[in-house]
Amino acid sequence: MLDKDTSVIMTDSSGPSKVKWVACPEKSHDEEVLRPIDNPFSKQGGLQLLTVIW
C-alpha cells in the first residue's frame, strides 16, 4: 500500500502526456527543500503552536 509513497511521477519519453511512477532518489536534489532525517531544519522538529489573537 505504501509503494506510491516511495515513488514520484515523472514524464515518460514514450510519448506526449505520458507519465510513469519511478522510485524516489536516495538523496535529495535540494536539501533546502527536502532534508534527510540526520540533517533536520530544526533540532526540535520545527513544529510550533500558532494562535490567533482577535
Side-chain angles (χ1 to χ4, degrees), residues 2 13 19-20 34 41 52:
L2 297 177
S13 60
V19 295
K20 62 182 176 181
L34 181 64
F41 290 104
V52 177

Side-chain angles (χ1 to χ4, degrees), residues 2-20:
L2 297 177
D3 60 331
K4 297 295 186 206
D5 292 333
T6 61
S7 303
V8 293
I9 297 176
M10 302 290 284
T11 56
D12 191 345
S13 60
S14 66
S17 302
K18 301 284 183 173
V19 295
K20 62 182 176 181

Side-chain angles (χ1 to χ4, degrees), residues 17-32:
S17 302
K18 301 284 183 173
V19 295
K20 62 182 176 181
W21 287 97
V22 296
C24 291
E26 291 292 321
K27 292 190 171 246
S28 175
H29 295 290
D30 185 354
E31 286 198 9
E32 293 300 314

